[in-house]
Amino acid sequence: VYDVYRKKWRHSLCAVLISVVMLLTYYLSFWCAVRAVAGGASPLAVISAMPVIDGLSSLPVSVAGVGGREKLFQVLLGRETGMGTGTAVAASLAGFLCQLAWAPLGGWFFLKKDKRPA
C-alpha cells in the first residue's frame, strides 16, 4: 500500500489539501452560526475547538451527537471566549441545522446517476 503512496504522491497530496479545505469549510460554517446568533468568538477559537467537539460528539451516546455537542460548545467556547450558555447552545444548534440542511443536497449529488465510469 505504501508503494502506491510513494508512486502517486501528487494524488495523496491533492487529497490531503482537499481534506483540509473541506474541514476548514465545515468548521467555519459553525463560526458563521456563532456570528448569526450574536456570539463573539473568533474564527480561530472555533477552528481550534471544533476538532475536539467533533471527535467527542461522534461517540455513539446520542443521535447525531445532539446534546453532547451543545455541552461541549458551552464548555470549550464559553471558557475560551466568554460566550454565554444560551448563545453557545444556539450557535451549536444553528451550525448543526446548517449541516442538516445541506445534507440532502449532497445526498442527491451522490446518488445522481453519472454516465462516467467509476
Side-chain angles (χ1 to χ4, degrees):
V1 171
Y2 294 117
D3 196 43
V4 173
Y5 293 135
R6 183 183 60 80
K7 288 180 182 175
K8 300 196 180 228
W9 64 270
R10 287 183 181 94
H11 292 110
S12 298
L13 183 62
C14 184
V16 168
L17 292 176
I18 289 170
S19 296
V20 168
V21 169
M22 289 175 65
L23 277 173
L24 282 175
T25 304
Y26 173 68
Y27 295 162
L28 288 175
S29 70
F30 275 90
W31 174 70
C32 290
V34 169
R35 299 247 336 194
V37 296
S42 70
L44 188 59
V46 175
I47 288 172
S48 64
M50 281 305 295
V52 176
I53 292 170
D54 274 346
L56 291 176
S57 65
S58 68
L59 296 173
V61 294
S62 68
V63 178
V66 176
R69 182 182 301 109
E70 286 71 33
K71 185 63 178 173
L72 289 167
F73 255 79
Q74 286 177 1
V75 171
L76 293 177
L77 289 178
R79 287 183 186 165
E80 188 173 328
T81 64
M83 187 184 305
T85 301
T87 305
V89 170
S92 176
L93 289 174
F96 178 69
L97 289 175
C98 287
Q99 302 305 317
L100 197 61
W102 283 105
L105 180 64
W108 179 78
F109 278 116
F110 180 74
L111 295 175
K112 188 176 121 180
K113 289 198 176 217
D114 195 4
K115 298 189 190 306
R116 293 177 285 163

